[in-house]
Amino acid sequence: MKGQDLGPLVGCHNSASGGVHNALLEAKSLNATASQLFTSNQKQWRGKKISDEEVEKWDLAKAASDVKVVISHDGYLINLGSHDKELLVKSRVAFIEEIERCLALDLDFLNFHPGTATDKNPERCLDTIIESLLSFAPLFEKKRKLKLVLEATAGQGNTVGHTFEHIAYIIESCHRKIPLGVCIDTCHIFAAGYDIRTSAAWDKTLKEFDKVVGLKHLDCMHLNDSLKGLGSRVDRHSCLGFGEIGIEAFKFVMQDKRLKHLPKCLETPQKEARWEDEIQMLKDFYYEKH
Ligand SMILES: [Zn+2]
Ligand SMILES: [Zn+2]
């Protein structure tokens, strides 16, 4: 995909209720060029395998849409850094099943939350996450399109991954052994303490990311405004321009050449704004500059 100009890649988290292909039908109805979905119920441990019939429906829906990049979001129960042995095993099994569903649908990215240090030991948690990720290496021995992407978190509760240093530590330890990149969620990094409200602030934060993690590892973005303030470490999304971040930040994201090629998905509530309008606004920002 690199080097090819695909235009603005924007979409939102689409509902896969009634079948995964429905996410693409929804994306199409919103004029989206990217899509994110849960490939199984995000609140349950066991997910169903993707059947041949579903793959067929998926391929047809994809061909009929303008969606060029598809991202799966892992389930909420999974904690790859759990200190509880039983939960860790369950999480790894569920994650492997998730990888298999992504491969069946030929997805581009699998976005996942790094993990939670329920024992309040973030260092141990980070090492357990690395161990989990490396255990998935055999699934990637054959060359695959799928890439795992680590989502930067808000640092709510005991979640890890809210500092660029945490992210760098995981990436450094794994990226040569498994295909692994990063997803920046604007609400999360802002709540974690990285200012992005003005173009100068965004520039400083991006330079910091580049210095600590490396911009070459950045693969996706989640675009959400934040209900809570800078450094609040509270993860509450709001519609673009209706939160503490403000609209300028999203204009910057769509216009800055370092971020231009990245797929960007909204996870905003359908409240003050509708996804269709937000997607159109992001496209307009892009075309103002390109
Ligand atoms: Zn997100
Ligand atoms: Zn969030």
Side-chain angles (χ1 to χ4, degrees):
M1 222 183 300
K2 281 230 168 79
Q4 209 182 329
D5 188 2
L6 297 172
L9 297 171
V10 285
C12 63
H13 189 101
N14 295 116
S15 167
S17 142
V20 280
H21 69 287
N22 284 334
L24 292 174
L25 298 182
E26 184 179 87
K28 181 179 161 62
S29 76
L30 301 168
N31 299 316
T33 47
S35 173
Q36 180 175 276
L37 77 157
F38 294 120
T39 65
S40 70
N41 188 319
Q42 75 277 20
K43 292 173 194 149
Q44 284 172 15
W45 279 111
R46 298 304 301 242
K48 271 195 302 177
K49 266 205 159 101
I50 304 283
S51 68
D52 291 346
E53 195 194 328
E54 279 175 297
V55 173
E56 219 170 283
K57 282 188 193 165
W58 175 267
D59 289 343
L60 284 173
K62 177 111 189 275
S65 77
D66 291 326
V67 172
K68 298 178 188 89
V69 179
V70 186
I71 303 162
S72 165
H73 193 301
D74 76 331
Y76 291 151
L77 300 176
I78 293 174
N79 180 5
L80 296 177
S82 179
H83 74 284
D84 179 310
K85 269 272 152 331
E86 203 186 315
L87 280 181
L88 183 63
V89 169
K90 263 181 149 176
S91 294
R92 287 178 179 171
V93 168
F95 201 84
I96 288 171
E97 290 178 357
E98 175 58 40
I99 291 174
E100 282 164 352
R101 287 190 295 273
C102 290
L103 292 173
L105 296 173
D106 198 27
L107 302 194
D108 301 275
F109 298 105
L110 163 49
N111 178 89
F112 67 102
H113 291 186
T116 307
T118 32
D119 60 348
K120 299 192 168 41
N121 182 346
E123 287 77 24
R124 194 244 1 110
C125 182
L126 289 167
D127 286 333
T128 307
I129 293 165
I130 290 165
E131 215 179 87
S132 294
L133 290 172
L134 294 177
S135 77
F136 306 137
L139 289 157
F140 294 98
E141 262 162 23
K142 224 170 95 189
K143 186 105 186 79
R144 310 284 201 174
K145 178 167 83 172
L146 184 70
K147 191 168 181 182
L148 308 181
V149 284
L150 191 65
E151 181 170 1
T153 68
Q156 185 166 300
N158 295 303
T159 53
V160 298
H162 57 281
T163 68
F164 293 164
E165 285 74 14
H166 280 183
I167 292 167
Y169 181 60
I170 299 172
I171 293 286
E172 262 312 300
S173 313
C174 302
H175 87 273
R176 285 181 196 86
K177 294 163 191 139
I178 53 162
L180 181 67
V182 181
C183 172
I184 281 187
D185 182 310
T186 51
C187 167
H188 297 178
I189 64 164
F190 179 72
Y194 296 99
D195 198 1
I196 52 172
R197 286 172 292 192
T198 62
S199 52
W202 238 132
D203 189 57
K204 187 167 168 252
T205 291
L206 268 189
K207 282 187 176 135
E208 172 81 4
F209 183 89
D210 194 31
K211 195 178 85 193
V212 179
V213 185
L215 270 173
K216 66 172 190 289
H217 295 298
L218 183 59
D219 286 308
C220 305
M221 296 189 82
H222 286 165
L223 302 189
N224 303 305
D225 209 325
S226 175
L227 204 61
K228 302 291 177 180
L230 178 69
S232 64
R233 292 184 62 168
V234 178
D235 180 13
R236 292 280 180 286
H237 302 182
S238 61
C239 297
L240 307 188
F242 290 88
E244 294 288 323
I245 297 175
I247 208 69
E248 281 309 305
F250 302 101
K251 202 168 192 180
F252 178 93
V253 164
M254 294 310 297
Q255 298 185 344
D256 189 84
K257 63 177 189 313
R258 291 165 290 185
L259 307 175
K260 181 184 166 211
H261 63 289
L262 302 173
K264 303 170 182 82
C265 286
L266 299 157
E267 298 171 324
T268 50
Q270 292 249 274
K271 242 165 130 189
E272 291 90 349
R274 295 181 309 135
W275 287 321
E276 196 178 358
D277 301 334
E278 286 185 302
I279 288 168
Q280 188 55 51
M281 178 176 69
L282 292 170
K283 285 185 183 172
D284 290 345
F285 286 158
Y286 178 95
Y287 286 118
E288 250 175 46
K289 192 82 182 273
H290 300 104

